[in-house]
Amino acid sequence: MQHQFKLLINGVLVDGDEHIDIIDPAVGRPFASCPIASLDQLDAAVQSARIAQRAWAETSLDHRRQLLLALADKIEANAEQLGLVLTSEQGKPLADSAWEVSFLVSAIRYFASQTLPIEVIEDNEVRRVELDHRPLGVVAAIIPWNFPLGLVGNKLPAALLAGNALIIKPAPTTPLSTLLLGEIINELVPPGLVNIIADNNDLGSALTSHPGIDKIAFTGSTATGRKVMSSAATDLKRVTLELGGNDPAIILDDVDPKKIAPDLFFSAFANTGQVCVSVKRAYVHERIYDELVSELTSLAQAAKVGDGREEGVKFGPIQNAAQYNKAIQYLEIASRDGKITAGGAMYDRGGYFVRPTIVRDIDEKSPLVVEEQFSPILPLIPFSDEDEAVAKANALPYGLGASVWSSDLDRAYALSKRIQAGTVWINQHLALTPNVPVPAAKQSGIGVALGLDGLKSYTQLTVTNIKK
Ligand code: NAD
């Protein structure tokens, strides 16, 4: 790719002293070069954000809203170019990239439609007590490689509407679409309000420990999340941690396997299994176990896997070599601890391809079940008793999403109340829209993304208590 990607620092598109190659995961070879920021550039980005934020915090909500709406229009007008770069670096099919860009646009428009009114909680002859939501300052937005642009949508519009400035740091294997986003929005944004720096996976801790950062909005693995939290402890920075998941789906005996199989399949294999809230383990009632396994096996065998730029491809490669090697190890574990009915690696294709893989009769203590495998592999575990299924679903330290599938909504609803997760879906999974908060339970994170609660997490709640 000929495009010269640039960092965005203080409203200026700049080169880095060093560059890294970005790999196209569909072919496993570099296709573009990415500038990486020095520590001095990181510092310059934070200093410029501090200055820009002071002026931004003085603007009206309406002024901020107008900027957000202009950003959404500009991004939408450049959706095709953004989508192509996203597919080239991330691997997902062009249609999925288009969806991701549209999610970013709709998140911006959603937050642009929100307000943060002063709330009066008491007003009488004695006193008046008000709550208001003030900006926090400068936000470090740290992004993983599975949804490089979609996850900017979780952070940028809420942070800006609330009166903050940002430093955005994409993942080192998928920085280009975010740098291109910087180019696209730069003319609209006051210098320093949004900075975008790329790294070679080495600037995260300098950013999270920087004294000029007030809040860290981090999305990534639970292991890195722990480091972020300890880094934030020094000066008690605010944190939102959107971390790993190992979502269970509980499928009751009254479902029609043929009917639910396509939705369940999508919920496990969208984005080639690399979604924090995809179904990672399915507990299936023994009465329908064989039939559901067989339906999912047929869907996996028919799935079109390939280069995301090819017509009709539904599943792209795994995003990077490290994750691909993990997936290969999990495939070996799958055949050791269970029985693979469809799928496996596609060594003949080049690139990092693994077909959607269905695994039955798996040992429940297998790493494929208890770890966050983040691969296109779905283990299915039979159960006979609902209490047992709930206990197993709740047994792991993760708590991001979960789902219950049943033709009886009351039954599914009652069961959903017993599951420990930030979101429990019924007869679906992975249904995410910007207006619905995404909370994290247990070791899947701290805080909430999206929705009004997500917006409030970019603010300092302040009480004004007046004696009359
Ligand atoms: P990762 O934790 O390796 O990296 C995430 C980001 O953190 C990258 O930008 C990376 O450069 C940066 N980073 C690395 N070391 C750092 C440090 N010491 N301090 C600060 N930042 C640092 O995660 P990944 O492999 O890129 O992404 C996959 C993970 O993300 C999975 O666990 C997935 O479940 C999770 N995820 C969670 C959500 C959610 O909403 N909960 C959404 C998407 C992905």
Side-chain angles (χ1 to χ4, degrees), residues 198-220:
D199 73 342
N200 196 10
N201 214 25
D202 51 1
L203 287 185
S205 79
L207 188 57
T208 55
S209 58
H210 198 295
I213 298 291
D214 302 289
K215 170 174 172 125
I216 305 163
F218 174 83
T219 308

Side-chain angles (χ1 to χ4, degrees), residues 282-355:
Y283 297 96
V284 185
H285 196 279
E286 59 187 11
R287 216 172 295 150
I288 50 152
Y289 185 77
D290 287 339
E291 199 182 339
L292 188 62
V293 168
S294 145
E295 290 294 335
L296 292 170
T297 299
S298 304
L299 289 166
Q301 283 161 346
K304 182 149 187 214
V305 181
D307 185 323
R309 288 155 295 213
E310 281 168 24
E311 191 66 31
V313 162
K314 291 277 186 282
F315 303 96
I318 286 179
Q319 197 279 315
N320 58 69
Q323 187 60 39
Y324 176 64
N325 290 331
K326 277 191 204 164
I328 299 292
Q329 282 170 18
Y330 280 117
L331 285 175
E332 284 163 13
I333 289 170
S335 42
R336 182 194 71 196
D337 296 347
K339 185 168 168 247
I340 295 178
T341 61
M346 295 163 71
Y347 296 114
D348 55 332
R349 240 242 59 152
Y352 310 138
F353 289 99
V354 171
R355 291 194 62 82

Side-chain angles (χ1 to χ4, degrees), residues 23 46 80 88 94 137 184 215 233 258 266 270 292 307 333-334 362-363 365 370 379 459:
I23 309 284
V46 176
E80 200 173 324
S88 304
L94 283 172
I184 290 168
K215 170 174 172 125
K258 207 176 186 65
F266 169 81
L292 188 62
D307 185 323
I333 289 170
I362 180 97
D363 173 352
K365 295 198 177 60
V370 299
T459 65

Side-chain angles (χ1 to χ4, degrees), residues 247-466:
D247 286 14
I250 299 180
I251 296 127
L252 302 184
D253 57 353
D254 59 4
V255 300
D256 175 352
K258 207 176 186 65
K259 194 166 154 219
I260 68 154
D263 283 347
L264 188 61
F265 187 78
F266 169 81
S267 305
F269 295 108
N271 209 36
T272 308
Q274 306 163 114
V275 188
C276 52
V277 283
S278 55
V279 175
K280 304 267 181 17
R281 46 197 171 113
Y283 297 96
V284 185
H285 196 279
E286 59 187 11
R287 216 172 295 150
I288 50 152
Y289 185 77
D290 287 339
E291 199 182 339
L292 188 62
V293 168
S294 145
E295 290 294 335
L296 292 170
T297 299
S298 304
L299 289 166
Q301 283 161 346
K304 182 149 187 214
V305 181
D307 185 323
R309 288 155 295 213
E310 281 168 24
E311 191 66 31
V313 162
K314 291 277 186 282
F315 303 96
I318 286 179
Q319 197 279 315
N320 58 69
Q323 187 60 39
Y324 176 64
N325 290 331
K326 277 191 204 164
I328 299 292
Q329 282 170 18
Y330 280 117
L331 285 175
E332 284 163 13
I333 289 170
S335 42
R336 182 194 71 196
D337 296 347
K339 185 168 168 247
I340 295 178
T341 61
M346 295 163 71
Y347 296 114
D348 55 332
R349 240 242 59 152
Y352 310 138
F353 289 99
V354 171
R355 291 194 62 82
T357 299
I358 305 293
V359 186
R360 63 170 294 158
D361 305 331
I362 180 97
D363 173 352
E364 291 173 48
K365 295 198 177 60
S366 172
L368 186 68
V369 178
V370 299
E371 294 175 4
E372 185 196 28
Q373 27 109 351
F374 220 58
S375 302
I377 310 176
L378 179 64
L380 292 113
I381 300 141
F383 72 86
S384 55
D385 173 65
E386 280 174 25
D387 291 343
E388 171 204 337
V390 171
K392 285 176 179 170
N394 289 339
L396 301 183
Y398 294 103
L400 209 49
S403 55
V404 180
W405 302 68
S406 169
S407 59
D408 179 341
L409 281 185
D410 292 338
R411 190 177 167 205
Y413 181 82
L415 202 70
S416 75
K417 296 294 172 203
R418 299 168 60 198
I419 295 177
Q420 299 161 354
T423 302
V424 186
W425 285 283
I426 293 177
N427 291 335
Q428 58 177 351
H429 205 111
L430 265 193
L432 297 167
T433 48
N435 61 324
V436 179
V438 184
K442 296 159 86 177
Q443 292 181 33
S444 285
I446 291 181
V448 180
L450 298 173
L452 251 188
D453 293 286
L455 175 58
K456 287 180 182 166
S457 76
Y458 287 90
T459 65
Q460 173 61 52
L461 180 66
T462 309
V463 176
T464 308
N465 194 332
I466 308 158

Side-chain angles (χ1 to χ4, degrees), residues 143-146 169 201 218-221 224 242-244 276 372:
I143 315 280
W145 45 257
N146 58 344
K169 194 202 81 60
N201 214 25
F218 174 83
T219 308
S221 61
T224 312
E242 303 166 33
L243 308 179
C276 52
E372 185 196 28

